[in-house]
Amino acid sequence: MKKIYLDNAATTPLADEVITEMVSAMKNFGNPSSTHSYGQEAKILIENVRRQVADDLKVTPAEIIFTSCGTESNNMIIKSCVRNLGVQRIITSPIEHKCVAETITEMRTRKNVEVVYLKPDKTGDISLDELEKTLKSSDVKTLVSLMHANNEIGNLLDIKKVATICKENGALFHSDTVQTIAHMDIDFSEIPVDFASCSAHKFHGPKGSGFAFIRKSSGLKSLITGGPQERSLRAGTENVAGIVGLGKAMELAMTNLDAYSKHIQEIKDYTIARITESVPGVRFNGRSAEAGASLYTVLSVLLPFKDPMIGMKLDMQGIAVSQGSACSSGASKPSMVMLMLLDDEELNATTPLRVSFSHLTTREEIDDLCEVLKKIASGHLIENVNG
Ligand code: PLP
């Protein structure tokens, strides 16, 4: 059976060039902390990637700390802000990724941190006026944690504006940039964000490799104690091949950014048009269908019928999509994002589906998806007519 992968916000296939570079790096087995030539050769591989990533983001190499993933980066930043920087209040939204949301909940229950949630409107946007008002309402040391692009609906946050508001009000700002780094041209010399996160497997790099951007002299400390690796911000022998893979994937992504983003936006526009004609009554969640206001890789579809088995039905036809984000798709209850955007009646009568693209996605694949959706939708229509 032909297989079609449309779940690129969950993870992406490894690029062949990345595999080649990683295999070569694996043969270089030295411990980067060793002072002999084996170790130093491994160290050079890591430092080259650090410099390359720092150049892409217009920061200094010392501000890039390699980690195992986006989850670890977000955990480290939020937890250390509370433990080491005296953060007593966190302003966030209820639609952050689980690794941010759960970490903040833990900070509330274990460390007594006050948590303020900015409720998104029905399009999934956060009010920046409300953010400013909340910041001004108290003098306690505050961390604002808001994601750059939502992984379910793709809504983009104006991080430059948020960072500026935070600076003006003396708050720290962390943005989960896992869905945007290497998908957008991000210049941190222009955006006064304090902390950000990245995960290589979201842009055709390996799983188990990411980094945290930590603004210089932030005072953050390592979650993992041990050796002085990563400027003492992340103890443990480095995943050299993973870091090299991240570097190659980021190089490919940034070199081809214009071509890839143009192709993917065209595919997204095509998908919106084809699904609209194939499934009468279909809607798109949040700002998902608005070019420019949402990430071009993600489309959140709201099918006008209830079908909790839709993911499985599509999978049986060889089509991989997500019924929410990867982290909540196994759960039977609606995701927090859908709970925020839809009322009970809508939740009971609809099915959300996240379709996410890469530069490898083709129109033919979208045609196949729409054919299957059309059949499933007409089945539901007949069911509804028959009562
Ligand atoms: N943040 C966002 C917005 C994500 O989409 C993901 C992955 O789904 C993560 C964080 C977690 O990244 P990782 O899988 O590298 O732990």
Side-chain angles (χ1 to χ4, degrees), residues 9 69-71 74 97 99 147 149 151 176 178-179 199 201-202:
C69 58
T71 297
N74 287 331
H97 187 271
C99 68
M147 67 206 309
N151 50 298
D176 175 346
V178 164
Q179 291 289 345
S199 180
H201 74 94
K202 303 293 185 184

Side-chain angles (χ1 to χ4, degrees), residues 246-385:
L246 181 152
K248 188 67 194 175
M250 189 131 169
E251 181 197 314
L252 291 169
M254 297 315 287
T255 308
N256 297 298
L257 189 61
D258 287 349
Y260 285 179
S261 56
K262 187 164 175 277
H263 170 79
I264 299 170
Q265 184 65 56
E266 273 170 20
I267 286 285
K268 181 172 172 175
D269 293 343
Y270 182 70
T271 309
I272 294 168
R274 286 287 282 113
I275 292 190
T276 304
E277 66 188 41
S278 305
V279 183
V282 74
R283 283 158 48 194
F284 301 97
N285 297 305
R287 297 210 178 268
S288 195
E290 293 173 42
S294 73
L295 189 63
Y296 56 90
T297 50
V298 175
L299 181 64
S300 178
V301 181
L302 193 67
L303 298 168
F305 49 83
K306 190 89 204 148
D307 192 343
M309 303 305 284
I310 190 120
M312 200 192 282
K313 286 180 187 169
L314 287 164
D315 192 37
M316 282 164 66
Q317 301 298 317
I319 301 172
V321 295
S322 167
Q323 278 185 259
S325 68
C327 299
S328 59
S329 53
S332 54
K333 52 181 191 174
S335 72
M336 191 47 105
V337 179
M338 291 308 138
L339 284 172
M340 287 289 138
L341 299 190
L342 306 173
D343 61 30
D344 284 352
E345 204 179 312
E346 288 170 313
L347 284 168
N348 288 331
T350 59
T351 309
L353 207 64
R354 182 185 70 181
V355 184
S356 50
F357 318 97
S358 82
H359 62 279
L360 303 168
T361 311
T362 64
R363 282 184 175 225
E364 291 68 38
E365 290 177 326
I366 300 303
D367 289 340
D368 288 352
L369 166 73
C370 291
E371 274 317 301
V372 177
L373 282 180
K374 193 173 176 174
K375 277 196 200 122
I376 295 173
S378 60
H380 280 281
L381 211 63
I382 291 164
E383 240 173 55
N384 286 348
V385 169

Side-chain angles (χ1 to χ4, degrees), residues 32-108:
S33 296
S34 299
T35 50
H36 51 61
S37 64
Y38 290 86
Q40 289 314 293
E41 280 162 24
K43 178 105 186 143
I44 287 167
L45 291 178
I46 296 176
E47 295 313 315
N48 285 345
V49 177
R50 199 189 310 281
R51 203 167 321 109
Q52 171 209 327
V53 168
D55 284 350
D56 282 335
L57 298 174
K58 313 272 188 308
V59 299
T60 63
E63 294 172 310
I64 301 297
I65 303 302
F66 291 115
T67 63
S68 67
C69 58
T71 297
E72 183 193 326
S73 305
N74 287 331
N75 263 263
M76 181 230 182
I77 292 164
I78 296 165
K79 288 180 177 167
S80 183
C81 276
V82 174
R83 285 181 192 163
N84 311 114
L85 302 187
V87 163
Q88 292 170 289
R89 178 174 72 149
I90 300 178
I91 302 175
T92 186
S93 85
I95 57 170
E96 298 299 304
H97 187 271
K98 252 190 178 330
C99 68
V100 168
E102 292 292 317
T103 307
I104 291 175
T105 302
E106 193 186 322
M107 292 300 97
R108 186 181 58 197

Side-chain angles (χ1 to χ4, degrees), residues 210-270:
F211 63 81
F213 162 68
I214 297 175
R215 188 76 71 186
K216 207 160 20 196
S217 322
S218 68
L220 242 55
K221 290 206 164 46
S222 181
L223 272 192
I224 307 167
T225 44
Q229 291 91 348
E230 295 299 302
R231 290 161 173 83
S232 293
L233 278 168
R234 206 253 184 187
T237 303
E238 298 89 337
N239 172 10
V240 181
I243 293 169
V244 167
L246 181 152
K248 188 67 194 175
M250 189 131 169
E251 181 197 314
L252 291 169
M254 297 315 287
T255 308
N256 297 298
L257 189 61
D258 287 349
Y260 285 179
S261 56
K262 187 164 175 277
H263 170 79
I264 299 170
Q265 184 65 56
E266 273 170 20
I267 286 285
K268 181 172 172 175
D269 293 343
Y270 182 70

Side-chain angles (χ1 to χ4, degrees), residues 136-153:
K136 289 190 192 309
S137 70
S138 164
D139 290 336
V140 299
K141 182 94 179 174
T142 299
L143 170 71
V144 173
S145 181
L146 292 171
M147 67 206 309
H148 190 190
N150 184 277
N151 50 298
E152 261 182 80
I153 51 176

